Amino acid sequence: MSRLITAARDTAARIDAATPAHRDRAVDALRAFAVAGVVLGHWLVTALVADGRTLRAASPLQHLPWLAPVSWAFQTLAVFFLVGGHVATRSYASARERGVPYRRWLHARLARLFGPVVAVLGLWTVVTLTLLLSDAEYATVRTLVKLALSPMWFLLVFAALTAATPLVSRLHPLWPLAVVLHVDVLRFGFGAPDGLGWLNLAAGWLVPYTLGAAWTRGELESRRPGWVLLGGGTAATAALVAWAGYPAAMVGVPGAEVSNLNPPTLAAVTFGLAQCGLALLLRDRLRRAMRRPLAWAVVALVNLSAMTVFLWHQTALMATTATLLPAGPLPGLHTVPDGLGWVAARLPWLMVFALALAVCGAAFRTWEQGGGRRRRVRPSRVVRAHRPMTERTPHV
């Protein structure tokens, strides 16, 4: 055990030493936090219940709605879009300084997003065909495929916002926020078609993305914007839930009449503003915490495999559930999530899901580095520089 601890410390020390002093480690810490929040949130609120030969999706929030506040800690997508907007606008500004054409810049960024997708789609195409040919229940196949591919919507939205970075880099966040407000007023106040809400899929996530651009411009460096976002977002969300009838859960709940995420509602956006405010306020503390080699090594490793973790975490959950199905209905894995007993039984399974995810990561992480092509590629680097816009040194 002491050798393992020593080896871990040595590795952490090497990663720490290889990281440039000017790197803003808080950016990477926030990204790692956002990815971890999404993964743990899905593992805690997504249940696959065995009903004869059929597996159906369920959620403890269906049976225990008073647990809705738990979703507030794990619905961290706004933080991801905040960091994404910040990093993309810096990267694009650096590319322009170095004379890199927009098309080349965009291709490089999207390749890192969609490279790992090929492996996911390939595996699930084979799994789907195998299940259908083996006469598996169609409802089970549909449930599994829907859960496995659900992270793809995020990539499509993120890719669209990345492509629009030159256009939205100076857009004030109040403009997309106003779109979300008007869409919700029309939907819930005047009975407009629900399809109108899908405008919020772009506008809703554009709010934190443009906040990230404002961060790049240096407009959010003081603590005052963070407190305004945290206080205003919290108050607005509480008012919308308490008096406007918005759901308290910030994640989708099967069977619910209204979801705060599909598509994003005004409550989800104001909640995201509060999260972004908290993230901005924590930057200095995170920078200090990331000076510890072990803490920084963990964050760096998560960032290196962020897309692999994000895309494969649902597959890890389903592989574990399906593999152990012959052992009978196991508490917290195959049973109905209708009580605190299920929650207590679920917690130990998180480690099993993490091990399954590690196996997926070991098998498919090369796709994140180079799309699985057999050629020399520039590997993902933990030591990319996050520099203030006033510096003229190229972003690498």
Side-chain angles (χ1 to χ4, degrees):
M1 180 63 70
S2 61
R3 290 183 179 179
L4 290 176
I5 294 175
T6 301
R9 287 177 176 172
D10 290 343
T11 301
R14 287 196 298 270
I15 293 174
D16 182 65
T19 305
H22 54 254
R23 183 177 181 84
D24 189 350
R25 300 186 184 192
V27 174
D28 301 281
L30 289 173
R31 185 190 291 112
F33 167 76
V35 171
V38 170
V39 171
L40 290 175
H42 281 162
W43 285 352
L44 286 170
V45 303
T46 303
L48 286 172
V49 179
D51 186 8
R53 294 181 58 206
T54 304
L55 285 175
R56 57 182 177 84
S59 170
L61 298 178
Q62 289 176 279
H63 305 278
L64 305 169
W66 54 272
L67 284 178
V70 174
S71 69
W72 305 346
F74 296 105
Q75 205 289 78
T76 52
L77 286 174
V79 177
F80 202 105
F81 279 96
L82 170 74
V83 173
H86 176 55
V87 172
T89 49
R90 284 195 170 195
S91 173
Y92 180 65
S94 175
R96 290 190 64 185
E97 288 179 358
R98 291 179 284 118
V100 177
Y102 164 77
R103 189 172 182 178
R104 180 178 160 193
W105 170 82
L106 182 62
H107 179 270
R109 296 200 69 83
L110 294 188
R112 292 193 64 196
L113 279 179
F114 289 104
V117 172
V118 176
V120 178
L121 292 177
L123 176 67
W124 275 97
T125 298
V126 173
V127 170
T128 302
L129 292 174
T130 301
L131 290 173
L132 292 175
L133 292 175
S134 63
D135 199 30
E137 292 286 338
Y138 176 76
T140 296
V141 178
R142 183 176 180 275
T143 296
L144 296 178
V145 172
K146 183 178 179 180
L147 287 176
L149 302 185
S150 59
M152 302 298 178
W153 73 263
F154 159 84
L155 287 184
L156 293 175
V157 176
F158 196 83
L161 295 185
T162 300
T165 295
L167 298 177
V168 304
S169 60
R170 293 196 170 273
L171 182 68
H172 197 285
L174 285 178
W175 288 108
L177 180 61
V179 172
V180 175
L181 171 62
H182 284 82
V183 166
D184 273 22
V185 167
L186 291 174
R187 284 179 65 201
F188 303 128
F190 294 93
D194 287 340
L196 183 67
W198 290 105
L199 289 174
N200 286 351
L201 191 60
W205 300 119
L206 188 56
V207 173
Y209 194 87
T210 51
L211 277 174
W215 178 1
T216 300
R217 297 194 299 269
E219 298 173 5
L220 305 178
E221 288 305 311
S222 70
R223 295 182 65 82
R224 184 173 180 273
W227 284 114
V228 170
L229 289 169
L230 176 59
T234 300
T237 305
L240 290 170
V241 171
W243 295 303
Y246 283 83
M250 291 299 155
V251 297
V253 179
E257 185 177 350
V258 177
S259 167
N260 273 321
L261 274 189
N262 298 308
T265 63
L266 181 61
V269 175
T270 57
F271 175 75
L273 290 176
Q275 281 189 319
C276 290
L278 181 59
L280 294 172
L281 290 171
L282 290 176
R283 285 176 296 180
D284 288 339
R285 291 188 178 184
L286 288 172
R287 286 167 186 144
R288 290 193 294 269
M290 291 301 106
R291 292 173 188 166
R292 301 171 183 171
L294 282 175
W296 170 240
V298 172
V299 166
L301 292 174
V302 171
N303 275 271
L304 279 175
S305 300
M307 287 305 303
T308 299
V309 170
F310 181 79
L311 287 172
W312 289 99
H313 72 278
Q314 292 284 58
T315 298
L317 181 153
M318 290 182 285
T320 303
T321 304
T323 301
L324 297 177
L325 192 58
L330 298 175
L333 191 64
H334 307 117
T335 53
V336 178
D338 57 357
L340 288 178
W342 183 92
V343 177
R346 182 65 159 197
L347 295 178
W349 286 111
L350 299 183
M351 289 301 299
V352 182
F353 299 155
L355 290 174
L357 179 57
V359 172
C360 292
F364 297 103
R365 188 173 173 274
T366 53
W367 289 84
E368 183 160 358
Q369 294 180 330
R373 295 182 292 274
R374 289 185 176 274
R375 61 178 178 85
R376 185 179 178 184
V377 296
R378 183 182 182 182
S380 300
R381 293 169 57 189
V382 186
V383 293
R384 291 182 183 273
H386 299 299
R387 303 171 184 233
M389 290 297 293
T390 54
E391 296 184 11
R392 304 300 295 176
T393 308
H395 175 92
V396 295

